[in-house]
Amino acid sequence: MAKRVVGIGGTLRSGSSSELLVRAVLAACARRGAETRMFDGPALAALPHFNAESPERNDAERALVEAVRAADAIVIGSPGYHGGVSGLVKNAIDLLEDIRGDARPYFDGRPVGLIVSAAGWQAGGVTLAALRGIVHAMRGWPTPAGIAINSVEQKPFAANGSVADAGVAAQIELQAAHLMAFALETAA
Ligand SMILES: Cc1cc2nc3c(=O)[nH]c(=O)nc-3n(C[C@H](O)[C@H](O)[C@H](O)COP(=O)(O)O)c2cc1C
């Protein structure tokens, strides 16, 4: 059966670089045989603020929770906002509290590719480290290859949104290779 890879990330900015990078990793996983599903900025904006005390969930919340529950690998992409993960992306991650009680809670046993786009190297580095901390807390396995781009110094995209920069493309291929190798290795 094809491995299922779920992407979560991006901003509400049109042409969001963090979204394009997550989509690029998903495409690289698809070339390796994966089925992919993307939850981009608008999809994440359809999630209400997570409320642990309310059992009510809308269709957007259910779709994300079920996709992560069934995923073999996950890709998370955030902009660096004020030195950290954006609220939009963190709210989506917090919703995964709904799978805490599963036999396979949170990201348990699965590889998670992490991506940050920030206007400076400092925010890129600290936000990537913060995402790794989150994934460890949620029992996932951050891939060795994380990706941080500096959106001021790097313009890695072609006009159609594909990745045109050879260095960034190589990082994307490496992260996809790590995700798929881990997912295949741990297949039941
Ligand atoms: C609210 C806000 C806060 C930001 N904070 C930082 C920051 O602390 N450090 C930084 O390097 N860039 C910061 N940026 C710039 C974004 O990280 C950068 O433009 C990023 O590439 C945007 O990602 P996107 O293309 O996916 O929208 C901030 C941008 C916004 C809108």
Side-chain angles (χ1 to χ4, degrees):
M1 210 170 88
K3 295 292 159 197
R4 288 170 285 208
V5 184
V6 171
I8 300 169
T11 68
L12 293 173
R13 212 174 57 72
S14 102
S16 161
S17 54
S18 48
E19 176 187 328
L20 292 177
L21 292 166
V22 175
R23 287 190 185 278
V25 173
L26 294 185
C29 290
R31 288 194 292 278
R32 290 167 169 81
E35 263 174 27
T36 68
R37 176 147 185 204
M38 178 70 188
F39 292 85
D40 60 11
L44 302 184
L47 305 173
H49 283 163
F50 174 68
N51 178 355
E53 294 190 347
S54 164
E56 301 300 319
R57 297 289 178 253
N58 68 20
D59 288 347
E61 289 173 298
R62 276 191 289 273
L64 178 64
V65 166
E66 289 310 318
V68 172
R69 192 172 251 153
D72 299 296
I74 299 103
V75 183
I76 300 175
S78 176
Y81 272 7
H82 302 139
V85 180
S86 72
L88 194 69
V89 171
K90 188 59 166 57
N91 185 53
I93 293 170
D94 290 344
L95 174 62
L96 301 177
E97 185 65 9
D98 280 8
I99 54 176
R100 181 178 71 165
D102 281 17
R104 189 171 67 163
Y106 303 125
F107 301 129
D108 188 55
R110 284 161 299 162
V112 186
L114 297 172
I115 297 172
V116 177
S117 171
W121 294 114
Q122 178 170 291
V126 297
T127 305
L128 189 59
L131 281 171
R132 286 192 167 127
I134 290 167
V135 171
H136 283 147
M138 296 174 73
R139 307 190 193 186
W141 297 75
T143 59
I147 300 172
I149 71 153
N150 181 326
S151 58
V152 171
E153 292 185 9
Q154 293 173 290
K155 303 290 176 199
F157 306 107
N160 67 0
S162 64
V163 174
D165 178 272
V168 175
Q171 289 179 281
I172 286 164
E173 291 300 325
L174 183 61
Q175 184 171 104
H178 287 169
L179 288 165
M180 295 302 288
F182 192 113
L184 288 165
E185 188 68 32
T186 54

